[in-house]
Structures are given as structure tokens and as C-alpha cells.
Amino acid sequence: MLSYEGFTLLIMLFILAPIMGAIALLFLFIFEKRIDLLENKNREIRLEHALQEAQYNKLNQQIQPHFLFNTLNVILSLARLNRTSELIRALETFSQFLKFKYKSSEPLIPLNQEIQYTQYYLDIQNLRFGDRLKTQLDCPKDLYDALVPPFILQTLVENSFKHGLEKKVGEALLHIRFYQDSELVCLEVIDNGLMGMTNSFSNEEGHGLVNIKKRLQLYFGNSGHVLITSNESGTNVKVVWPLIYESKGGKIN
């Protein structure tokens, strides 16, 4: 026979059991909702990343025809001047560039590869300008394997010619400088061309600085930025982005 205390405990158990069950179901419901919320959030993040990647690739594709157009203009100028030997060498260099270029379509490439892309363009410009063009490129060897969005350097060099050096009378100077600042890679492209590059850059929607800024924003957020200064002595464009290396396994560090 149950004692009074045992009977009271049994009654409390019958009363509390449904309440505890309801609380457990409530927690389970909240937990499931939380899982659904996280899954939806992850799905949104994946979709956003996919959209950003598509936009980034589109910007890269916009730059490539722009470069080809500029290079063909240089070759056309050599042809019009009947500079046959320089024209043949320019076509050979351009062919090497195309062969080298389409080996990779990665969103980030090693810095030494970007420099090689740009060197093909500079080789063609050297044929055109002759001794009048003086170029200097400074890059520490420990940055050769750092990753960079493709066509960053190339775009800046092209625009230095298009908006400054093309109209320059006398010696044309171009200085390209890479250096590391803490956990950032810094690139400066300096020329002694005419003023007005700031407006010319900003008016080229989809190309020039506008394109570079969009790609840096898509890939690095607020960690990548562009600064430009222009005066009577020339133009200095500085681009900064996070220092990243690709590991041997193909992953980004």
C-alpha cells in the first residue's frame, strides 16, 4: 500500500509528465526551425557566392577583348608605318601571348604569370616606341607565387599608354613596382604621361579602374582598393589586395 508521500509523488509525476513532454516538443520544434534557418542561410550564401563568381568571370571576360583590341591597334600602327620587321616580331609576340594566355582561366593566378602576360604587351610597345620608351619593373622574388586577379597589372599598363604615354612627346617612362605591406600586396604603376587619366579611367565603364574595383570588391570585399593620383609630372595608380598563396595541394592559403 502506497504511503501518502508516495501517492503525492505519483500524482505530481502524472501532472508533470505532459508538461515535460510539451517542453521537450517545444525545444525539438525550435531546434528543427533553427536547422531549417541555417540550411536556408547556407543556401543563400552558396547562391550569393555563385552569383559573385559569375559576375567576376564576366568582368574578366570583358577585359580580355579590351586587351586584344589595344594590342591589334599597336600592330596596325606598325603596319601603317611599313615597319615590316617590327610588325613580324609583334605578331610573333602576340602569338606567344595568345598561346600562353589560354592555358588557364583561373580567378586568381600567380603574380609571375601576370607579369609575363604584361611583358608580351610591353614587348610590342617597345617595338613601337623604340628607344623612346623606358620601362622598369621591381618585384621581390618572394611575391612571385602570390596570387592576383588576372589582368590587374595588364589593365593598368594598357591605360598608362592609352591615356598618358601615347600623347607624350619625348621620353616615355613607365615604372611598375610590387611590394608587400604587412599582409597586403601593393602594386604601383607610375608613368610620366599627360594629365587627365583620372577622368579617362572613370569614364570607361566595364574597363580600366572601374573593372578592377569591381573585381577586387567581389573577391576581397573591403580588403582590396585602388588609389590614383595625377598631376603635371604624370600618374600614379596604386592597387592593394590581400597576400594569398596557393598551396601545393591547390588550395588557397
Side-chain angles (χ1 to χ4, degrees), residues 83-187:
R83 294 165 61 176
T84 307
S85 59
E86 290 95 335
L87 175 61
I88 293 173
R89 289 169 58 192
L91 288 171
E92 290 174 345
T93 302
F94 188 48
S95 175
Q96 289 297 317
F97 164 80
L98 292 177
K99 182 179 178 181
F100 193 75
K101 157 69 190 74
Y102 290 105
K103 288 181 179 179
S104 175
S105 58
E106 297 297 323
L108 295 176
I109 62 174
L111 187 53
N112 63 338
Q113 189 173 333
E114 172 74 0
I115 291 173
Q116 182 63 69
Y117 285 168
T118 307
Q119 189 59 55
Y120 286 124
Y121 181 79
L122 287 174
D123 289 344
I124 295 174
Q125 290 289 11
N126 274 312
L127 292 173
R128 183 184 179 194
F129 280 75
D131 295 336
R132 193 162 65 87
L133 178 62
K134 307 295 182 183
T135 62
Q136 179 181 345
L137 192 151
D138 299 320
C139 181
K141 291 185 177 180
D142 55 357
L143 287 181
Y144 281 176
D145 293 327
L147 297 179
V148 58
F151 306 107
I152 292 290
L153 173 60
Q154 212 165 263
T155 301
L156 296 182
V157 170
E158 288 176 53
N159 280 280
S160 286
F161 282 97
K162 183 175 181 180
H163 302 298
L165 299 179
E166 293 282 358
K167 304 172 184 178
K168 176 71 176 178
V169 177
E171 191 174 50
L173 304 177
L174 180 68
H175 184 192
I176 301 168
R177 177 177 174 238
F178 289 96
Y179 59 95
Q180 181 178 346
D181 182 7
S182 184
E183 297 301 316
L184 298 173
V185 178
C186 301
L187 161 63

Side-chain angles (χ1 to χ4, degrees), residues 178-200:
F178 289 96
Y179 59 95
Q180 181 178 346
D181 182 7
S182 184
E183 297 301 316
L184 298 173
V185 178
C186 301
L187 161 63
E188 288 186 283
V189 176
I190 307 164
D191 67 68
N192 69 334
L194 301 180
M195 293 180 62
M197 184 183 286
T198 305
N199 293 331
S200 300

Side-chain angles (χ1 to χ4, degrees), residues 7-67:
F7 179 75
T8 303
L9 184 60
L10 185 61
I11 294 298
M12 291 182 64
L13 183 61
F14 279 118
I15 295 173
L16 293 176
I19 296 175
M20 296 298 294
I23 293 174
L25 289 174
L26 178 61
F27 275 109
L28 182 61
F29 177 78
I30 294 173
F31 183 71
E32 288 178 347
K33 286 292 184 181
R34 181 64 177 173
I35 291 178
D36 291 340
L37 182 63
L38 290 174
E39 289 179 349
N40 290 334
K41 187 67 175 177
N42 288 334
R43 191 178 299 112
E44 290 177 2
I45 292 174
R46 288 195 298 269
L47 289 174
E48 183 178 352
H49 285 172
L51 178 61
Q52 288 181 344
E53 183 177 356
Q55 292 175 338
Y56 182 85
N57 291 334
K58 180 181 178 181
L59 290 169
N60 277 347
Q61 294 302 318
Q62 287 175 348
I63 278 291
Q64 294 176 38
H66 183 59
F67 167 77

